[in-house]
Amino acid sequence: DASKGSYMLEQRMMLTGHKGGCENARVALNDIVIHRSGNLQILSLNVYVNGELLSTYQADGIIISTPTGSTGYNMSAGGPIVDPKGTMLVLTPNNAHNLNSKSIVLDAEDIVEIEILSRRIQKDEVACVSFDGDFVQELVVGDRFVISKAINCTTICKINKRSFLEILRKKMETYT
């Protein structure tokens, strides 16, 4: 019953991602992940933020997470936990093959572009893109995939008044 304040509505940001034109864009509430496909070879990825090269990663993949998704795959890969009501992008390399690869928290308005590079003479590497864990498409050497904040938000209905910190504290106690 809304009149008694028995629930609350929260707005949560989402991500959109596409290769090529925006007409192929899809949205994700938690994360968009670019990851290796089947073989045991790591990926070589150039990551650009607003058109500027951030870094070249040698990794199993890259996770771009919303604050809502920060407690999922991002956290499992060593990324930070973010208050789900926040608006930011969290970039976390997955199993990076260098010691200084850390997560980076970016402004929600930043545009992240990931380019698939070749590590082999055959240039036959294949990467996959997943939206909230669902496989969507394959990428090949030379492809660029663009990720940004989606125009629309998702409304979450909370049926209890427990805060994010209370929920987090209880979950962390469970695992200690």
Short mmCIF file of all heavy atoms in Angstrom, two decimals, residues 6-67:
data_model
loop_
_atom_site.label_atom_id
_atom_site.label_comp_id
_atom_site.label_asym_id
_atom_site.label_seq_id
_atom_site.Cartn_x
_atom_site.Cartn_y
_atom_site.Cartn_z
N SER A 6 4.82 1.53 2.32
CA SER A 6 5.35 0.18 2.47
C SER A 6 6.32 -0.21 1.36
O SER A 6 6.85 -1.30 1.38
CB SER A 6 4.20 -0.83 2.54
OG SER A 6 3.43 -0.75 1.36
N TYR A 7 6.56 0.67 0.42
CA TYR A 7 7.58 0.41 -0.59
C TYR A 7 8.18 1.72 -1.05
O TYR A 7 7.64 2.79 -0.83
CB TYR A 7 7.03 -0.39 -1.77
CG TYR A 7 6.06 0.37 -2.65
CD1 TYR A 7 6.52 1.08 -3.76
CD2 TYR A 7 4.70 0.38 -2.39
CE1 TYR A 7 5.64 1.77 -4.58
CE2 TYR A 7 3.81 1.06 -3.20
CZ TYR A 7 4.29 1.76 -4.29
OH TYR A 7 3.43 2.44 -5.10
N MET A 8 9.35 1.61 -1.69
CA MET A 8 10.03 2.78 -2.22
C MET A 8 10.43 2.48 -3.65
O MET A 8 10.71 1.33 -4.00
CB MET A 8 11.30 3.10 -1.43
CG MET A 8 11.06 3.50 -0.01
SD MET A 8 12.58 3.94 0.92
CE MET A 8 13.91 3.24 0.04
N LEU A 9 10.49 3.52 -4.48
CA LEU A 9 10.94 3.37 -5.85
C LEU A 9 12.31 4.01 -5.99
O LEU A 9 12.54 5.12 -5.50
CB LEU A 9 9.95 4.03 -6.82
CG LEU A 9 8.53 3.47 -6.84
CD1 LEU A 9 7.66 4.26 -7.81
CD2 LEU A 9 8.54 2.00 -7.21
N GLU A 10 13.23 3.29 -6.63
CA GLU A 10 14.58 3.82 -6.88
C GLU A 10 14.86 3.77 -8.37
O GLU A 10 14.50 2.79 -9.04
CB GLU A 10 15.64 2.98 -6.17
CG GLU A 10 15.72 3.19 -4.69
CD GLU A 10 16.86 2.39 -4.06
OE1 GLU A 10 17.62 1.69 -4.77
OE2 GLU A 10 16.98 2.47 -2.83
N GLN A 11 15.51 4.81 -8.86
CA GLN A 11 15.94 4.84 -10.26
C GLN A 11 17.34 4.27 -10.36
O GLN A 11 18.22 4.63 -9.57
CB GLN A 11 15.93 6.29 -10.79
CG GLN A 11 14.55 6.91 -10.81
CD GLN A 11 13.62 6.20 -11.77
OE1 GLN A 11 13.97 5.94 -12.91
NE2 GLN A 11 12.44 5.86 -11.28
N ARG A 12 17.55 3.38 -11.32
CA ARG A 12 18.87 2.78 -11.52
C ARG A 12 19.31 3.01 -12.95
O ARG A 12 18.54 2.80 -13.90
CB ARG A 12 18.83 1.27 -11.24
CG ARG A 12 18.34 0.90 -9.86
CD ARG A 12 19.44 1.04 -8.81
NE ARG A 12 18.97 0.74 -7.48
CZ ARG A 12 19.00 -0.46 -6.93
NH1 ARG A 12 19.47 -1.48 -7.62
NH2 ARG A 12 18.57 -0.64 -5.70
N MET A 13 20.55 3.42 -13.12
CA MET A 13 21.06 3.65 -14.47
C MET A 13 21.28 2.32 -15.18
O MET A 13 21.46 1.28 -14.55
CB MET A 13 22.35 4.47 -14.44
CG MET A 13 23.59 3.74 -13.99
SD MET A 13 25.11 4.67 -14.28
CE MET A 13 25.47 4.22 -15.96
N MET A 14 21.26 2.38 -16.50
CA MET A 14 21.53 1.21 -17.33
C MET A 14 22.60 1.57 -18.35
O MET A 14 22.94 2.74 -18.51
CB MET A 14 20.25 0.75 -18.05
CG MET A 14 19.17 0.26 -17.11
SD MET A 14 17.82 -0.59 -17.94
CE MET A 14 17.24 0.62 -19.09
N LEU A 15 23.12 0.56 -19.02
CA LEU A 15 24.12 0.74 -20.06
C LEU A 15 23.53 0.40 -21.42
O LEU A 15 22.61 -0.40 -21.52
CB LEU A 15 25.31 -0.20 -19.82
CG LEU A 15 26.10 -0.04 -18.54
CD1 LEU A 15 27.11 -1.16 -18.40
CD2 LEU A 15 26.77 1.31 -18.51
N THR A 16 24.10 0.99 -22.45
CA THR A 16 23.77 0.61 -23.81
C THR A 16 25.09 0.30 -24.52
O THR A 16 26.12 0.88 -24.21
CB THR A 16 22.97 1.71 -24.54
OG1 THR A 16 22.57 1.23 -25.81
CG2 THR A 16 23.78 2.98 -24.71
N GLY A 17 25.03 -0.64 -25.45
CA GLY A 17 26.22 -1.01 -26.17
C GLY A 17 25.90 -1.38 -27.60
O GLY A 17 24.82 -1.91 -27.88
N HIS A 18 26.85 -1.10 -28.51
CA HIS A 18 26.63 -1.42 -29.92
C HIS A 18 27.95 -1.46 -30.67
O HIS A 18 28.94 -0.85 -30.26
CB HIS A 18 25.70 -0.39 -30.57
CG HIS A 18 26.25 1.01 -30.55
ND1 HIS A 18 27.09 1.50 -31.51
CD2 HIS A 18 26.08 2.01 -29.65
CE1 HIS A 18 27.40 2.75 -31.22
NE2 HIS A 18 26.82 3.08 -30.09
N LYS A 19 27.93 -2.22 -31.75
CA LYS A 19 29.03 -2.24 -32.70
C LYS A 19 28.52 -1.57 -33.95
O LYS A 19 27.45 -1.92 -34.44
CB LYS A 19 29.44 -3.68 -33.01
CG LYS A 19 30.55 -3.79 -34.04
CD LYS A 19 30.91 -5.23 -34.31
CE LYS A 19 30.06 -5.74 -35.45
NZ LYS A 19 30.49 -7.05 -35.94
N GLY A 20 29.25 -0.59 -34.46
CA GLY A 20 28.76 0.12 -35.64
C GLY A 20 27.68 1.11 -35.25
O GLY A 20 27.82 1.84 -34.29
N GLY A 21 26.58 1.09 -35.97
CA GLY A 21 25.51 2.07 -35.74
C GLY A 21 24.71 1.81 -34.49
O GLY A 21 24.60 0.69 -34.00
N CYS A 22 24.10 2.87 -33.97
CA CYS A 22 23.30 2.79 -32.74
C CYS A 22 22.02 1.99 -32.92
O CYS A 22 21.37 1.63 -31.95
CB CYS A 22 22.96 4.20 -32.26
SG CYS A 22 24.40 5.12 -31.70
N GLU A 23 21.64 1.71 -34.19
CA GLU A 23 20.39 0.97 -34.41
C GLU A 23 20.47 -0.46 -33.89
O GLU A 23 19.45 -1.10 -33.66
CB GLU A 23 20.00 0.96 -35.91
CG GLU A 23 20.96 0.18 -36.80
CD GLU A 23 22.18 0.97 -37.25
OE1 GLU A 23 22.28 2.16 -36.92
OE2 GLU A 23 23.04 0.38 -37.94
N ASN A 24 21.69 -0.97 -33.65
CA ASN A 24 21.86 -2.32 -33.12
C ASN A 24 22.08 -2.33 -31.62
O ASN A 24 22.45 -3.34 -31.06
CB ASN A 24 23.05 -3.01 -33.80
CG ASN A 24 22.85 -3.16 -35.29
OD1 ASN A 24 21.73 -3.32 -35.75
ND2 ASN A 24 23.93 -3.09 -36.04
N ALA A 25 21.87 -1.21 -30.96
CA ALA A 25 22.16 -1.09 -29.53
C ALA A 25 21.20 -1.92 -28.69
O ALA A 25 20.03 -2.07 -29.02
CB ALA A 25 22.09 0.38 -29.11
N ARG A 26 21.75 -2.46 -27.60
CA ARG A 26 20.96 -3.16 -26.60
C ARG A 26 21.27 -2.54 -25.25
O ARG A 26 22.24 -1.81 -25.11
CB ARG A 26 21.32 -4.65 -26.58
CG ARG A 26 20.90 -5.33 -27.88
CD ARG A 26 20.94 -6.81 -27.80
NE ARG A 26 20.34 -7.31 -26.56
CZ ARG A 26 20.03 -8.57 -26.38
NH1 ARG A 26 20.23 -9.44 -27.33
NH2 ARG A 26 19.51 -8.99 -25.24
N VAL A 27 20.45 -2.85 -24.26
CA VAL A 27 20.66 -2.28 -22.92
C VAL A 27 20.90 -3.38 -21.90
O VAL A 27 20.52 -4.53 -22.09
CB VAL A 27 19.47 -1.40 -22.46
CG1 VAL A 27 19.33 -0.19 -23.35
CG2 VAL A 27 18.19 -2.19 -22.40
N ALA A 28 21.57 -2.99 -20.81
CA ALA A 28 21.86 -3.90 -19.70
C ALA A 28 21.69 -3.13 -18.40
O ALA A 28 22.08 -1.97 -18.30
CB ALA A 28 23.28 -4.44 -19.81
N LEU A 29 21.14 -3.78 -17.41
CA LEU A 29 21.00 -3.18 -16.08
C LEU A 29 22.27 -3.37 -15.26
O LEU A 29 22.68 -2.46 -14.54
CB LEU A 29 19.82 -3.81 -15.33
CG LEU A 29 19.66 -3.40 -13.86
CD1 LEU A 29 19.43 -1.90 -13.74
CD2 LEU A 29 18.54 -4.18 -13.21
N ASN A 30 22.91 -4.53 -15.38
CA ASN A 30 24.06 -4.86 -14.54
C ASN A 30 25.41 -4.60 -15.21
O ASN A 30 26.22 -3.86 -14.69
CB ASN A 30 24.00 -6.32 -14.09
CG ASN A 30 22.80 -6.57 -13.21
OD1 ASN A 30 22.61 -5.90 -12.22
ND2 ASN A 30 21.98 -7.53 -13.60
N ASP A 31 25.63 -5.26 -16.35
CA ASP A 31 26.94 -5.12 -16.98
C ASP A 31 26.92 -5.54 -18.44
O ASP A 31 26.04 -6.27 -18.88
CB ASP A 31 28.02 -5.92 -16.23
CG ASP A 31 27.64 -7.39 -16.02
OD1 ASP A 31 27.09 -8.01 -16.95
OD2 ASP A 31 27.90 -7.91 -14.92
N ILE A 32 27.91 -5.03 -19.15
CA ILE A 32 28.22 -5.49 -20.50
C ILE A 32 29.64 -6.02 -20.41
O ILE A 32 30.54 -5.34 -19.92
CB ILE A 32 28.12 -4.35 -21.53
CG1 ILE A 32 26.68 -3.82 -21.61
CG2 ILE A 32 28.59 -4.84 -22.91
CD1 ILE A 32 26.50 -2.62 -22.52
N VAL A 33 29.83 -7.26 -20.86
CA VAL A 33 31.12 -7.92 -20.74
C VAL A 33 31.61 -8.32 -22.12
O VAL A 33 30.87 -8.92 -22.91
CB VAL A 33 31.02 -9.16 -19.83
CG1 VAL A 33 32.38 -9.85 -19.71
CG2 VAL A 33 30.48 -8.80 -18.46
N ILE A 34 32.85 -7.98 -22.41
CA ILE A 34 33.51 -8.48 -23.61
C ILE A 34 34.51 -9.51 -23.11
O ILE A 34 35.36 -9.22 -22.27
CB ILE A 34 34.19 -7.34 -24.39
CG1 ILE A 34 33.11 -6.40 -24.91
CG2 ILE A 34 35.05 -7.90 -25.53
CD1 ILE A 34 33.60 -5.23 -25.70
N HIS A 35 34.36 -10.74 -23.60
CA HIS A 35 35.16 -11.84 -23.08
C HIS A 35 35.61 -12.77 -24.19
O HIS A 35 35.08 -12.74 -25.30
CB HIS A 35 34.36 -12.62 -22.02
CG HIS A 35 33.01 -13.07 -22.49
ND1 HIS A 35 32.78 -14.32 -23.01
CD2 HIS A 35 31.82 -12.41 -22.54
CE1 HIS A 35 31.50 -14.43 -23.34
NE2 HIS A 35 30.89 -13.29 -23.07
N ARG A 36 36.60 -13.58 -23.88
CA ARG A 36 37.12 -14.50 -24.87
C ARG A 36 36.07 -15.54 -25.23
O ARG A 36 35.15 -15.82 -24.47
CB ARG A 36 38.40 -15.16 -24.38
CG ARG A 36 38.20 -16.06 -23.19
CD ARG A 36 39.52 -16.61 -22.73
NE ARG A 36 39.26 -17.58 -21.66
CZ ARG A 36 40.18 -18.09 -20.92
NH1 ARG A 36 41.44 -17.74 -21.09
NH2 ARG A 36 39.88 -18.95 -19.99
N SER A 37 36.24 -16.11 -26.40
CA SER A 37 35.27 -17.07 -26.91
C SER A 37 35.91 -18.45 -27.00
O SER A 37 36.78 -18.68 -27.83
CB SER A 37 34.80 -16.63 -28.30
OG SER A 37 33.99 -17.62 -28.88
N GLY A 38 35.51 -19.33 -26.14
CA GLY A 38 35.88 -20.73 -26.23
C GLY A 38 37.34 -21.06 -26.01
O GLY A 38 37.67 -21.78 -25.09
N ASN A 39 38.23 -20.55 -26.83
CA ASN A 39 39.64 -20.94 -26.73
C ASN A 39 40.28 -20.38 -25.47
O ASN A 39 39.72 -19.54 -24.78
CB ASN A 39 40.42 -20.50 -27.98
CG ASN A 39 40.46 -19.00 -28.15
OD1 ASN A 39 40.31 -18.25 -27.20
ND2 ASN A 39 40.67 -18.55 -29.38
N LEU A 40 41.47 -20.88 -25.18
CA LEU A 40 42.15 -20.47 -23.95
C LEU A 40 43.09 -19.29 -24.15
O LEU A 40 43.85 -18.95 -23.26
CB LEU A 40 42.90 -21.67 -23.36
CG LEU A 40 42.01 -22.81 -22.91
CD1 LEU A 40 42.85 -23.98 -22.40
CD2 LEU A 40 41.03 -22.37 -21.86
N GLN A 41 43.06 -18.68 -25.31
CA GLN A 41 43.90 -17.52 -25.58
C GLN A 41 43.31 -16.28 -24.90
O GLN A 41 42.10 -16.09 -24.91
CB GLN A 41 43.99 -17.26 -27.08
CG GLN A 41 44.66 -18.37 -27.86
CD GLN A 41 46.14 -18.45 -27.56
OE1 GLN A 41 46.81 -17.45 -27.37
NE2 GLN A 41 46.66 -19.67 -27.51
N ILE A 42 44.18 -15.47 -24.34
CA ILE A 42 43.69 -14.21 -23.77
C ILE A 42 43.41 -13.23 -24.91
O ILE A 42 43.86 -13.41 -26.04
CB ILE A 42 44.71 -13.60 -22.77
CG1 ILE A 42 46.01 -13.24 -23.47
CG2 ILE A 42 44.91 -14.52 -21.60
CD1 ILE A 42 46.98 -12.49 -22.58
N LEU A 43 42.65 -12.20 -24.59
CA LEU A 43 42.35 -11.16 -25.57
C LEU A 43 43.31 -9.99 -25.41
O LEU A 43 43.78 -9.71 -24.30
CB LEU A 43 40.92 -10.65 -25.36
CG LEU A 43 39.79 -11.62 -25.63
CD1 LEU A 43 38.46 -11.01 -25.21
CD2 LEU A 43 39.76 -12.03 -27.09
N SER A 44 43.56 -9.32 -26.50
CA SER A 44 44.29 -8.06 -26.48
C SER A 44 43.29 -6.98 -26.86
O SER A 44 42.68 -7.04 -27.93
CB SER A 44 45.45 -8.11 -27.47
OG SER A 44 46.21 -6.94 -27.39
N LEU A 45 43.08 -6.03 -25.95
CA LEU A 45 42.01 -5.04 -26.11
C LEU A 45 42.53 -3.63 -25.88
O LEU A 45 43.17 -3.37 -24.85
CB LEU A 45 40.89 -5.31 -25.09
CG LEU A 45 40.30 -6.72 -25.07
CD1 LEU A 45 39.49 -6.94 -23.81
CD2 LEU A 45 39.44 -6.93 -26.31
N ASN A 46 42.27 -2.74 -26.82
CA ASN A 46 42.48 -1.31 -26.58
C ASN A 46 41.20 -0.75 -25.99
O ASN A 46 40.12 -0.98 -26.54
CB ASN A 46 42.78 -0.56 -27.89
CG ASN A 46 44.25 -0.56 -28.24
OD1 ASN A 46 45.10 -0.88 -27.42
ND2 ASN A 46 44.55 -0.19 -29.47
N VAL A 47 41.32 -0.01 -24.90
CA VAL A 47 40.16 0.62 -24.29
C VAL A 47 40.33 2.14 -24.39
O VAL A 47 41.33 2.69 -23.94
CB VAL A 47 39.98 0.19 -22.82
CG1 VAL A 47 38.81 0.93 -22.18
CG2 VAL A 47 39.78 -1.32 -22.74
N TYR A 48 39.35 2.77 -25.01
CA TYR A 48 39.33 4.22 -25.18
C TYR A 48 38.21 4.79 -24.32
O TYR A 48 37.14 4.19 -24.19
CB TYR A 48 39.04 4.59 -26.63
CG TYR A 48 40.05 4.05 -27.62
CD1 TYR A 48 39.90 2.78 -28.17
CD2 TYR A 48 41.16 4.80 -28.00
CE1 TYR A 48 40.82 2.27 -29.07
CE2 TYR A 48 42.09 4.30 -28.91
CZ TYR A 48 41.91 3.04 -29.44
OH TYR A 48 42.82 2.54 -30.33
N VAL A 49 38.46 5.96 -23.73
CA VAL A 49 37.43 6.70 -23.00
C VAL A 49 37.31 8.06 -23.65
O VAL A 49 38.28 8.80 -23.73
CB VAL A 49 37.77 6.82 -21.50
CG1 VAL A 49 36.70 7.65 -20.78
CG2 VAL A 49 37.92 5.44 -20.87
N ASN A 50 36.13 8.35 -24.17
CA ASN A 50 35.87 9.60 -24.89
C ASN A 50 36.88 9.83 -26.01
O ASN A 50 37.35 10.94 -26.23
CB ASN A 50 35.84 10.79 -23.92
CG ASN A 50 34.81 10.63 -22.84
OD1 ASN A 50 33.72 10.09 -23.09
ND2 ASN A 50 35.12 11.06 -21.64
N GLY A 51 37.24 8.75 -26.69
CA GLY A 51 38.14 8.83 -27.83
C GLY A 51 39.63 8.80 -27.49
O GLY A 51 40.47 8.70 -28.38
N GLU A 52 39.98 8.86 -26.22
CA GLU A 52 41.38 8.85 -25.80
C GLU A 52 41.77 7.46 -25.30
O GLU A 52 41.05 6.85 -24.49
CB GLU A 52 41.60 9.88 -24.69
CG GLU A 52 43.03 9.96 -24.22
CD GLU A 52 43.23 11.02 -23.14
OE1 GLU A 52 42.32 11.85 -22.92
OE2 GLU A 52 44.31 11.01 -22.52
N LEU A 53 42.90 6.94 -25.74
CA LEU A 53 43.36 5.63 -25.30
C LEU A 53 43.60 5.62 -23.80
O LEU A 53 44.37 6.43 -23.29
CB LEU A 53 44.64 5.23 -26.04
CG LEU A 53 45.21 3.85 -25.67
CD1 LEU A 53 44.26 2.73 -26.06
CD2 LEU A 53 46.57 3.66 -26.32
N LEU A 54 42.91 4.74 -23.10
CA LEU A 54 43.13 4.55 -21.67
C LEU A 54 44.27 3.55 -21.47
O LEU A 54 45.25 3.84 -20.79
CB LEU A 54 41.86 4.04 -21.00
CG LEU A 54 42.01 3.54 -19.57
CD1 LEU A 54 42.39 4.69 -18.64
CD2 LEU A 54 40.74 2.86 -19.10
N SER A 55 44.14 2.37 -22.08
CA SER A 55 45.15 1.33 -21.89
C SER A 55 44.91 0.20 -22.88
O SER A 55 43.82 0.06 -23.44
CB SER A 55 45.07 0.78 -20.46
OG SER A 55 46.13 -0.12 -20.22
N THR A 56 45.94 -0.61 -23.06
CA THR A 56 45.82 -1.87 -23.78
C THR A 56 45.87 -2.97 -22.75
O THR A 56 46.82 -3.05 -21.96
CB THR A 56 46.95 -2.03 -24.81
OG1 THR A 56 46.89 -0.95 -25.75
CG2 THR A 56 46.82 -3.35 -25.56
N TYR A 57 44.85 -3.81 -22.73
CA TYR A 57 44.75 -4.88 -21.76
C TYR A 57 45.00 -6.22 -22.43
O TYR A 57 44.51 -6.48 -23.54
CB TYR A 57 43.36 -4.92 -21.12
CG TYR A 57 43.07 -3.73 -20.25
CD1 TYR A 57 42.39 -2.62 -20.75
CD2 TYR A 57 43.45 -3.71 -18.91
CE1 TYR A 57 42.11 -1.52 -19.94
CE2 TYR A 57 43.18 -2.60 -18.10
CZ TYR A 57 42.51 -1.52 -18.62
OH TYR A 57 42.23 -0.44 -17.83
N GLN A 58 45.76 -7.07 -21.76
CA GLN A 58 45.89 -8.48 -22.11
C GLN A 58 45.11 -9.19 -21.01
O GLN A 58 45.57 -9.26 -19.86
CB GLN A 58 47.36 -8.92 -22.09
CG GLN A 58 48.29 -8.03 -22.88
CD GLN A 58 48.02 -8.08 -24.37
OE1 GLN A 58 47.71 -9.12 -24.93
NE2 GLN A 58 48.12 -6.94 -25.03
N ALA A 59 43.92 -9.70 -21.34
CA ALA A 59 43.05 -10.22 -20.30
C ALA A 59 42.04 -11.20 -20.89
O ALA A 59 41.91 -11.33 -22.10
CB ALA A 59 42.31 -9.06 -19.62
N ASP A 60 41.32 -11.87 -19.99
CA ASP A 60 40.21 -12.72 -20.44
C ASP A 60 39.05 -11.88 -20.93
O ASP A 60 38.19 -12.38 -21.65
CB ASP A 60 39.73 -13.61 -19.29
CG ASP A 60 40.72 -14.72 -18.96
OD1 ASP A 60 41.67 -14.94 -19.74
OD2 ASP A 60 40.53 -15.38 -17.92
N GLY A 61 39.02 -10.62 -20.53
CA GLY A 61 37.95 -9.74 -20.98
C GLY A 61 37.91 -8.46 -20.18
O GLY A 61 38.77 -8.19 -19.34
N ILE A 62 36.87 -7.68 -20.46
CA ILE A 62 36.64 -6.40 -19.77
C ILE A 62 35.18 -6.37 -19.34
O ILE A 62 34.28 -6.70 -20.12
CB ILE A 62 36.90 -5.20 -20.71
CG1 ILE A 62 38.37 -5.13 -21.12
CG2 ILE A 62 36.44 -3.89 -20.09
CD1 ILE A 62 39.31 -4.58 -20.08
N ILE A 63 34.95 -5.96 -18.09
CA ILE A 63 33.60 -5.82 -17.55
C ILE A 63 33.32 -4.33 -17.42
O ILE A 63 34.09 -3.61 -16.78
CB ILE A 63 33.47 -6.48 -16.17
CG1 ILE A 63 33.86 -7.96 -16.24
CG2 ILE A 63 32.06 -6.29 -15.60
CD1 ILE A 63 34.15 -8.58 -14.89
N ILE A 64 32.23 -3.87 -18.03
CA ILE A 64 31.76 -2.51 -17.80
C ILE A 64 30.46 -2.65 -17.02
O ILE A 64 29.48 -3.22 -17.51
CB ILE A 64 31.49 -1.74 -19.12
CG1 ILE A 64 32.70 -1.79 -20.05
CG2 ILE A 64 31.06 -0.31 -18.82
CD1 ILE A 64 33.93 -1.09 -19.53
N SER A 65 30.47 -2.16 -15.80
CA SER A 65 29.36 -2.39 -14.88
C SER A 65 28.68 -1.08 -14.48
O SER A 65 29.32 -0.04 -14.41
CB SER A 65 29.93 -3.08 -13.62
OG SER A 65 28.98 -3.15 -12.59
N THR A 66 27.39 -1.19 -14.20
CA THR A 66 26.66 -0.11 -13.55
C THR A 66 26.85 -0.27 -12.04
O THR A 66 27.30 -1.32 -11.57
CB THR A 66 25.15 -0.19 -13.85
OG1 THR A 66 24.64 -1.41 -13.28
CG2 THR A 66 24.86 -0.14 -15.34
N PRO A 67 26.47 0.74 -11.26
CA PRO A 67 26.50 0.55 -9.81
C PRO A 67 25.63 -0.63 -9.36
O PRO A 67 26.03 -1.38 -8.46
CB PRO A 67 25.97 1.89 -9.28
CG PRO A 67 26.43 2.87 -10.31
CD PRO A 67 26.23 2.14 -11.62
#
